[in-house]
Amino acid sequence: QAHLVESGGGLVQAGGSLRLSCTGSGGVFNSGLSWWRQAQGKERQFVAAISLSGGATYYGDSVKGRFTISRDNAKNTMYLEMNTLKPEDTAVYYCAGNPGGNYYYTSSWESWGQGTPVTVSS
């Protein structure tokens, strides 16, 4: 029943910006949400998470100060503002919902989107 769809990925030069969006249905936005990324040949990495109300946010060390997570519950939409992009940010970015434990654990998230690719050129 739960469904998540990411959008907004693409090709950008180093130092540039992108905004990713994630839209959900089936009650998936009735709890915390998160963003994850996976580069070729690497494990899926935590990017950011946000509480139901938006009052608490969490960021991975590699994106602190550059990325901002937000949500609009009236629109069932979550955003990731990505600034000062670096080549090492290149990955497929996924949104996740329905947490069942600690936000930092991949296994805590029940519902996942299909991902949107981000490529940062140098």
Side-chain angles (χ1 to χ4, degrees):
Q1 185 177 7
H3 190 236
L4 291 164
V5 179
E6 304 93 338
S7 62
L11 175 64
V12 64
Q13 287 186 273
S17 300
L18 286 173
R19 187 180 75 163
L20 307 184
S21 298
C22 174
T23 300
S25 61
V28 71
F29 273 53
N30 292 335
S31 60
L33 297 166
S34 63
W35 287 98
W36 298 73
R37 67 188 184 187
Q38 187 165 21
Q40 181 67 35
K42 300 181 70 176
E43 297 291 326
R44 190 163 295 190
Q45 180 185 46
F46 176 78
V47 175
I50 187 167
S51 62
L52 173 61
S53 69
T57 57
Y58 310 87
Y59 296 93
D61 290 341
S62 63
V63 306
K64 287 180 180 177
R66 298 189 299 120
F67 292 9
T68 302
I69 188 171
S70 62
R71 65 190 293 169
D72 185 338
N73 289 338
K75 298 180 180 179
N76 272 5
T77 302
M78 175 177 64
Y79 305 96
L80 184 68
E81 300 172 13
M82 309 167 67
N83 299 313
T84 318
L85 283 161
K86 304 174 181 180
E88 52 262 45
D89 295 318
T90 296
V92 177
Y93 283 71
Y94 300 88
C95 61
N98 291 328
N102 192 296
Y103 283 5
Y104 296 103
Y105 298 159
T106 304
S107 60
S108 294
W109 299 91
E110 178 182 336
S111 303
W112 294 83
Q114 294 300 305
T116 186
V118 172
T119 302
V120 183
S121 63
S122 61

